Amino acid sequence: MKQPQSVKRKWGALGAAAMLLMSIALGACSKEENSGAPEASASASAATAGAENGAPMEITWMPLPSNTQENSYAQQYIEKKFNVKLKTVLSPNTGYVDKQRILLSSHEIPDVFYVGESQDLFKYASQGLLAELPVDAIKQHAPDTYAMLNEVAPQSWYYSNYNGKNYGVPTVYYLGKYNAKQAWREDLLKKAGVDKIPETLEEFEAAFAKLKEIGVYGMSTIGNSYYAQFHTIFGAFGVMPPQWMVKDGKVVNAAIQPEAKEALTLLADWFKKGYIDPEFVTGKDLDVKFVNGKVAFLDSNSTAHISLTNPNSNINKARKIDPNASVVFGPLPKGPGGQHGWAWGTAGHIWAFGKQLKDQPEKTAKILEIINTIQNDEETYLAMTWGVEGKHYELADPSKGPNSGFKRIPPFDDGAKLQTEGLFDTTGLTTVFADQGNPKLFEKFADKEAAALRTLYDGAVSDLFGKPDVLPSSGKYWGDLTKLKVDTYAAIVFGNKPVSAFDDFVKQWNSMGGAELEKEANEMYQAMQKK
């Protein structure tokens, strides 16, 4: 099967979509007397008078879910640089969304807060909990971020757009342009008599058969994930369930295409032959089994897992058990539809603004200034990602200077310890208070070896709309549809249902809202083409 045309031309369409969405938002705001933000009320003016008189402006900020502590290094840096006082609402990843929903339902709404999923943003907007943020306000007060989004992630404007109005600042997801890496235990392949890293589906199957002879499962996957479940095998058949794609000029969902049934037929056969770990359905302990030599191939690995300098990498963990262990990346499996892996695309999440900010334009402008500066100003970006040189990081190669990249200094090479400082990750990619910054800055200071690995064996395919759940009615149907997809696919692979059950699944998918979403997807796509 040929590569779908949507994959070849989607970015042009997405660029047009971004312009369409911005024109809607700009058109709406041009009808107002002020094109930036509404006039301040008397109460809002009183709230910001202190800042105008030189006293710090108070901002309630709910940053990314993390182990960040109150009065962290990052918080103090922001307060000093921008003359603000942050009242932080902190939460680890577990329980973050629940805490956010409780706060909003009780109308204790932070001024600015991170929203991970568009459907949550749409729900908040429909409930009147958010302040509209016209796109031209972003253009005015966060011009570098505005330009970056249009250049790097035009599809991100879908994520913050609800009923033709913009509700927040979208973010970029730099690593979203790459698919996860395919990791092999090379030592187990050699032990089984396989001297070449498999590339085609036929070579995969032959290798799995030999691995079975030495008591090793060929592969496992994140079987409880609606997107990662056997994604590379489906990619070999030219589909990436449940992404939206263009096929024969029409937008369809990959989950219900005949090519998905072909992939399931092969997977069910592999499972029956004993090539797939039966515990794949749980999505648990994948790395543990890989490290312990129970499974030879994983389809969702990161570049960090073959790093010899990372004590927690899979290669180093495996070598503690077997000094001769070898972990390598291999190509995506090649099939009748090519070689493809799931990618999220370069759009990330959203910074939403509480409804109270509709009467506080000065505070809105200040927040946009802070986000814009953290994401795009080199000095501030470094301070918010890497921290303080000599304390949080050092040059990877002092003889080559900053362009050699940076590395963490203990104890801040430990991610949990690092986050207490308000620094999000060990790679210097993400900031706690502004999410990911300008990719050009990340690339300038990133680990060069890891950067090269990210482009290795890349066959990324992302959804036509960035994320598959950004359609107007996704909130009503998407959760049930993805559960149906995960459960049905797993049952077919496991042998609890015959492959023919796929036909019933298609009917059920459509009746549970899939048909309505497909109609909306085509309407959105046609609007993109007209612009």
Side-chain angles (χ1 to χ4, degrees):
M1 189 187 94
K2 291 184 179 180
Q3 173 67 17
Q5 289 297 313
S6 61
V7 174
K8 296 179 182 178
R9 65 187 181 192
K10 74 170 63 175
W11 293 113
L14 287 170
M19 294 304 105
L20 170 65
L21 289 172
M22 283 189 289
S23 67
I24 293 172
L26 285 166
C29 68
S30 66
K31 296 177 183 178
E32 302 174 0
E33 292 183 3
N34 288 309
S35 60
E39 289 291 338
S41 66
S43 61
S45 296
T48 56
E52 293 174 357
N53 293 330
M57 177 187 290
E58 183 175 288
I59 301 173
T60 305
W61 203 301
M62 189 175 189
L64 267 67
S66 67
N67 295 320
T68 298
Q69 301 297 303
E70 182 67 35
N71 204 34
S72 66
Y73 152 78
Q75 178 180 339
Q76 293 182 52
Y77 184 96
I78 292 172
E79 290 177 338
K80 181 178 180 181
K81 183 176 182 69
F82 298 98
N83 189 32
V84 295
K85 176 61 180 175
L86 298 185
K87 182 180 178 182
T88 54
V89 182
L90 304 171
S91 174
N93 193 55
T94 302
Y96 182 91
V97 174
D98 289 338
K99 182 174 183 176
Q100 186 176 93
R101 290 173 178 170
I102 291 171
L103 285 170
L104 270 63
S105 65
S106 61
H107 293 279
E108 297 179 20
I109 308 173
D111 293 324
V112 58
F113 52 99
Y114 166 86
V115 181
E117 297 296 334
S118 297
Q119 288 307 310
D120 286 331
L121 183 92
F122 299 162
K123 185 183 299 182
Y124 299 155
S126 70
Q127 294 170 348
L129 300 172
L130 306 182
E132 179 188 351
L133 183 64
V135 174
D136 68 339
I138 301 174
K139 184 177 182 180
Q140 179 182 355
H141 299 295
D144 302 309
T145 290
Y146 171 84
M148 174 184 67
L149 289 169
N150 289 335
E151 177 184 354
V152 177
Q155 73 274 35
S156 66
W157 296 107
Y158 279 124
Y159 300 6
S160 57
N161 186 277
Y162 177 72
N163 284 349
K165 296 181 179 181
N166 190 69
Y167 287 92
V169 182
T171 66
V172 298
Y173 177 37
Y174 173 81
L175 298 183
K177 64 181 179 178
Y178 303 110
N179 57 257
K181 298 307 171 190
Q182 319 304 296
W184 285 94
R185 280 291 299 268
E186 186 182 32
D187 56 313
L188 296 178
L189 284 174
K190 291 181 177 179
K191 183 178 178 181
V194 180
D195 296 323
K196 175 181 176 291
I197 300 298
E199 181 173 353
T200 66
L201 288 174
E202 292 76 16
E203 291 173 352
F204 269 66
E205 181 166 354
F208 291 168
K210 291 189 175 182
L211 286 163
K212 181 183 176 182
E213 293 176 3
I214 63 170
V216 175
Y217 287 113
M219 76 172 296
S220 190
T221 191
I222 309 175
N224 59 347
S225 168
Y226 80 83
Y227 63 90
Q229 183 189 53
F230 296 109
H231 69 108
T232 61
I233 306 303
F234 288 99
F237 286 86
V239 291
M240 199 61 63
Q243 290 184 4
W244 295 101
M245 59 185 287
V246 174
K247 186 177 182 183
D248 299 327
K250 180 183 177 182
V251 180
V252 297
N253 195 282
I256 59 173
Q257 299 310 302
E259 294 84 356
K261 183 177 182 180
E262 294 175 25
L264 287 168
T265 302
L266 178 64
L267 287 166
D269 182 58
W270 283 359
F271 185 87
K272 184 176 181 181
K273 291 175 178 177
Y275 300 162
I276 299 174
D277 175 16
E279 294 184 350
F280 80 87
V281 293
T282 69
K284 295 180 179 179
D285 299 326
L286 300 185
D287 286 336
V288 173
K289 292 181 179 182
F290 186 73
V291 165
N292 291 336
K294 304 298 183 183
V295 174
F297 173 73
L298 292 182
D299 59 6
S300 294
N301 247 240
S302 72
T303 56
H305 281 309
I306 65 169
S307 171
L308 294 175
T309 60
N310 181 352
N312 295 315
S313 66
N314 279 344
I315 180 60
N316 282 327
K317 288 181 178 180
R319 285 185 177 176
K320 287 182 180 179
I321 300 172
D322 180 355
N324 296 315
S326 174
V327 178
V328 298
F329 291 151
L332 293 155
K334 185 177 182 180
Q339 294 172 286
H340 309 292
W342 178 287
W344 283 107
T346 48
H349 310 287
I350 315 103
W351 287 108
F353 290 57
K355 66 177 183 178
Q356 65 276 16
L357 264 65
K358 68 180 180 180
D359 296 323
Q360 300 183 49
E362 296 91 347
K363 185 177 286 189
T364 297
K366 176 60 72 173
I367 294 170
L368 288 172
E369 175 196 351
I370 293 172
I371 291 174
N372 186 74
T373 306
I374 292 175
Q375 291 181 346
N376 299 282
D377 175 69
E378 183 171 312
E379 177 183 338
T380 310
Y381 170 83
L382 286 176
M384 292 290 95
T385 53
W386 285 98
V388 178
E389 185 175 0
K391 178 183 178 181
H392 300 112
Y393 73 95
E394 61 187 2
L395 297 176
D397 185 348
S399 66
K400 296 181 180 179
N403 289 335
S404 68
F406 300 145
K407 62 180 181 181
R408 292 294 181 191
I409 298 175
F412 299 112
D413 55 347
D414 178 271
K417 176 65 176 176
L418 184 69
Q419 284 191 0
T420 64
E421 296 279 283
L423 300 172
F424 191 78
D425 61 47
T426 57
T427 63
L429 175 62
T430 304
T431 71
V432 169
F433 288 93
D435 206 355
Q436 293 189 13
N438 196 309
K440 294 177 182 177
L441 292 175
F442 172 71
E443 291 171 348
K444 183 175 181 179
F445 301 108
D447 180 281
K448 306 310 177 189
E449 180 181 351
L453 286 173
R454 280 191 285 272
T455 64
L456 186 66
Y457 301 127
D458 194 56
V461 173
S462 57
D463 189 89
L464 181 65
F465 305 113
K467 288 183 180 179
D469 62 347
V470 298
L471 299 169
S473 299
S474 293
K476 293 187 343 188
Y477 304 123
W478 194 248
D480 290 337
L481 287 173
T482 53
K483 184 179 186 303
L484 174 68
K485 178 260 183 189
V486 169
D487 292 347
T488 303
Y489 279 26
I492 291 174
V493 174
F494 209 87
N496 291 338
K497 289 186 177 182
V499 175
S500 60
F502 181 84
D503 300 328
D504 295 328
F505 158 73
V506 173
K507 295 176 183 177
Q508 192 173 2
W509 171 282
N510 285 325
S511 67
M512 288 175 59
E516 183 175 342
L517 291 180
E518 183 175 304
K519 180 176 181 292
E520 292 179 354
N522 277 279
E523 290 171 351
M524 185 177 291
Y525 181 70
Q526 291 304 318
M528 288 162 50
Q529 301 308 301
K530 293 176 182 177
K531 190 65 181 177

